[in-house]
Amino acid sequence: MTRIGRQTWDFSRGTGVYVGGVGTVAGQLESAGPLGTNFDFHLENDRVDGDTWEHSEQSMFGKAAQIALENARVASEELDVLVGADLNAQLTGFYLGLRAHPVPALGVYSACASICEGLAIASLIIHSQHGERAMVGTSSHTSTAERQFRYPTEYGAQKPPTAQRTVTGSGVAVLTNQPSAIQITHATIGKVLDYGIKSPWEMGAAMAPAAADTIAAHLADTGRKLTDYDCVATGDLGHIGHKLVKELLHEKGLTDTGHLTDCGMLIYDSSQPEVFSGGSGGACCSLVTFGHLLKEMLAGRYQRILVSATGALLSTVSTQQKDSIPGVSHAIVFERKDGM
Amino acid sequence: MSVTKAQRDNYQQLVKKHRPARTIVKNTIRAFIVGGLICEIGQVIQTLFIRYGHFKPTEAGNPTVAVLIFLSAVLTACGVYDRFAQWAGAGSAVPVTGFANTITSAAMEHRSEGWIAGVGGNMFKIAGPVIVFGVVSAFFVALIRYIVTHL
């Protein structure tokens, strides 16, 4: 492994890290959204088999993992490590959802930025030859998140327009050292940044500075410009957070933000009910990246993209104790390898 | 280098600039109309109890509240009340129907954790503070009334 600059890991030389296959499972609202047809499996009901919300989330995670393995043509026994995350306390979505796989497992957490943290760790494992194949994924469910962080699902509380809807779904990828059409070349690990946002209804605002900081650090470390990427996608800032990150990048002198987008903006259409400022949650970035952005790369529309997943670091206790909400953002570079 | 106070203050200004304005006038009008309508429905039910149920006007309040609570619980169970509340805001939260919604929704949510620890332990999760401070303030109001009338 080579570290370049202060925060970026370079996987482009030596043992390569490639995306062997992906699996995506989308909830009802996500399936009905603009990217709906891109996802592999659509839930007919967000409550899977009439079971609890938590079991539904675990079942989505399991299903996405199964599809990813099938697409990568890899058997579960051939995996060297699982790296995953979700928003439930003690990562029950990941650990219980994938317990059927007899594979060494690492649960990680940086809220909704976990997918890029997972990809970075798994890439490091493969690049440093501690494993040949790894499975990485995240899940989230709007009703498990509501219960844990907010109110009961059916409770009638009016949400402000800055609120975001937690994405119901799961996105999983199998990474391997065997060359494929998409390579992971860099990972930039973000710092925890606290700009003093206190409202849990303003996650986009809480995370935008971290995204801007990580993107700027990545460009400084690699000596690249924003225009070197065909798409720069933040994780789940939503429409309001997207405007903020754009302004913050402009302040840093990064003005070519034409290719900047946000997974939370892409996953829903503004006309859908109660999506407010856009999507959020652990599965927002993984669903859009694996289900949509990588497909755009395979279709030849993107050559190189930067995905900077964003996480808001809070718990129910920290909000009730009036702590501010710091953000963190980790970025991954995906590059298309022609001739694969 | 951590974030300086000046940077935080600047950022708060930026966030404020991009924060969509809350539609306070619209929300207030909606809350007024919806809250008023719910009370109007309650009044109609009360009148029906007095006219056809032969309740005394002073006693018709309790069955009226029971009917409203029942309706709210049914609408909550059908998944309608929370959507209605997003539109109506305080109009649906302040009347007794909002109170019934807090209890029903919490009971439904925690059913998966069992009847005792789940439903029993969490039913009053949101309604609890309302009851606590309702009883405390009622005590002080009663105390003041007692002192005033006995002086």
Side-chain angles (χ1 to χ4, degrees), chain A residues 283-297:
Chain A
C284 184
C285 187
S286 58
L287 262 188
V288 175
T289 303
F290 300 153
H292 171 62
L293 299 177
L294 295 193
K295 283 186 181 152
E296 291 290 294
M297 293 184 80

Side-chain angles (χ1 to χ4, degrees), chain B residues 38-115:
Chain B
I38 292 175
C39 297
E40 190 58 42
I41 293 169
Q43 195 56 57
V44 169
I45 296 169
Q46 190 169 12
T47 308
L48 291 176
F49 271 118
I50 294 168
R51 192 166 298 170
Y52 300 105
H54 307 295
F55 279 83
K56 287 179 196 156
T58 46
E59 290 167 355
N62 283 340
T64 305
V65 169
V67 169
L68 285 174
I69 287 174
F70 176 74
L71 289 177
S72 168
V74 169
L75 291 175
T76 303
C78 296
V80 177
Y81 202 88
D82 60 325
R83 286 182 215 171
F84 163 61
Q86 177 62 33
W87 187 85
S92 67
V94 175
V96 71
T97 50
F99 188 69
N101 166 255
T102 62
I103 298 170
T104 316
S105 62
M108 285 168 67
E109 188 78 11
H110 294 279
R111 170 68 189 89
S112 62
E113 291 139 66
W115 286 105

Side-chain angles (χ1 to χ4, degrees), chain A residues 48-72:
Chain A
V48 178
D49 298 332
D51 207 338
T52 65
W53 301 124
E54 286 71 20
H55 290 171
S56 302
E57 182 170 346
Q58 291 160 23
S59 134
M60 288 194 300
F61 213 140
K63 182 80 189 163
Q66 184 199 332
I67 298 170
L69 287 170
E70 283 166 14
N71 286 341

